[in-house]
Amino acid sequence: MGDAQERVLGARVAAAFEDSESVYIDRQVAGYVNQIGQKLARLSDRPTIPYTFRILRGEAGRGVVLPGGYIYVTVGLLRQLRSQCEVAAVLAHMMAHASLGHPAQELERVEGVGPEGIREILGAADRRAGVERARAALQGMKGYPREWESDADKLTLLYLARVGFTSEGYARSMESFLPPVARTPEPYWERAGKGEVPLDKRLTGLRAELEGMGLDAGLPCEQQPYAPIRARLGATP
């Protein structure tokens, strides 16, 4: 599937997804997230996709990436992150999945969809029909296999280093979801990877990867302070 086709697919899937979600409106917060996301996008392995970043209401720590570069994070997830490099890490991880084509592949893997279902979404006579077909397909998306997560982990570390953020921010973002930190339902890093590898073991492996790749060498974590954004989101200091 070419980029243009995937963007059409993503637009229809995103329209179906947003029908059941509430977008959080705050220009300062949205601008902050978009600025980081677009900086990562320019240096990603797939910069030709016009990435879209949106913030959703909700306390659950959720991140969602759909075909065509549609990326969503919840207010609850942003509240749990404590620095700009952690925000960048979460966005970079979802962009890594987008670069690898995982969202479209996962959609195709849904029972009853397959390549024919993808063609039906793309070839629907009008946008509304395509969105309705995408809505049905969305219900079957369950997450990525562990090996996909491993591939995305490695790309995430590279993306962070390319834009000048410490890749340690990725490990810190995972740590924020380990006990004794208060959890929200379905915490982000446990959803990612389907729980096949316990989060603490995944974190240990990630730190070893950081050291092995030489990406733990003193890059900054805060190019632009995140504390004012956390305050706007109502996060505790």
Side-chain angles (χ1 to χ4, degrees), residues 79-135:
R79 282 177 182 158
Q80 289 189 252
L81 305 175
R82 306 194 68 86
S83 62
Q84 189 178 39
C85 66
E86 292 175 44
V87 177
V90 169
L91 297 179
H93 181 72
M94 290 190 282
M95 291 177 67
H97 281 300
S99 291
L100 292 165
H102 289 164
Q105 292 175 48
E106 173 62 13
L107 193 66
E108 187 175 308
R109 281 162 26 109
V110 171
E111 185 176 354
V113 179
E116 181 61 33
I118 298 295
R119 285 193 290 269
E120 288 178 8
I121 295 171
L122 286 169
D126 56 50
R127 178 182 176 278
R128 182 174 179 179
V131 169
E132 288 305 313
R133 183 67 182 89
R135 192 189 318 282

Side-chain angles (χ1 to χ4, degrees), residues 51 65 85 191:
Y51 289 90
V65 54
C85 66
R191 287 172 55 85

Side-chain angles (χ1 to χ4, degrees), residues 9-181:
L9 175 66
R12 293 181 173 183
V13 174
F17 176 73
E18 291 184 23
D19 278 350
S20 60
E21 300 288 341
S22 176
V23 176
Y24 178 79
I25 305 299
D26 183 308
R27 288 187 179 181
Q28 187 171 333
V29 175
Y32 187 94
V33 170
N34 186 66
Q35 182 182 42
I36 297 172
Q38 298 302 340
K39 185 174 183 179
L40 286 161
R42 287 192 292 272
L43 295 176
S44 74
D45 290 347
R46 206 173 171 196
T48 53
I49 294 178
Y51 289 90
T52 299
F53 301 90
R54 293 196 175 114
I55 301 167
L56 303 176
R57 296 185 184 276
E59 295 303 312
R62 295 171 58 217
V64 177
V65 54
L66 299 177
Y70 287 87
I71 290 174
Y72 303 84
V73 291
T74 61
V75 169
L77 176 56
L78 292 175
R79 282 177 182 158
Q80 289 189 252
L81 305 175
R82 306 194 68 86
S83 62
Q84 189 178 39
C85 66
E86 292 175 44
V87 177
V90 169
L91 297 179
H93 181 72
M94 290 190 282
M95 291 177 67
H97 281 300
S99 291
L100 292 165
H102 289 164
Q105 292 175 48
E106 173 62 13
L107 193 66
E108 187 175 308
R109 281 162 26 109
V110 171
E111 185 176 354
V113 179
E116 181 61 33
I118 298 295
R119 285 193 290 269
E120 288 178 8
I121 295 171
L122 286 169
D126 56 50
R127 178 182 176 278
R128 182 174 179 179
V131 169
E132 288 305 313
R133 183 67 182 89
R135 192 189 318 282
L138 264 175
Q139 303 307 311
M141 294 182 74
K142 297 178 180 178
Y144 303 135
R146 178 56 233 164
E147 59 268 24
W148 291 13
E149 289 293 346
S150 179
D151 291 342
D153 281 349
K154 293 174 184 178
L155 265 189
T156 300
L157 301 180
L158 290 173
Y159 288 177
L160 290 170
R162 284 177 188 174
V163 299
F165 279 118
T166 174
S167 297
E168 170 68 17
Y170 193 29
R172 293 183 195 178
S173 67
M174 283 191 186
E175 283 179 328
S176 68
F177 291 94
L178 284 170
V181 174

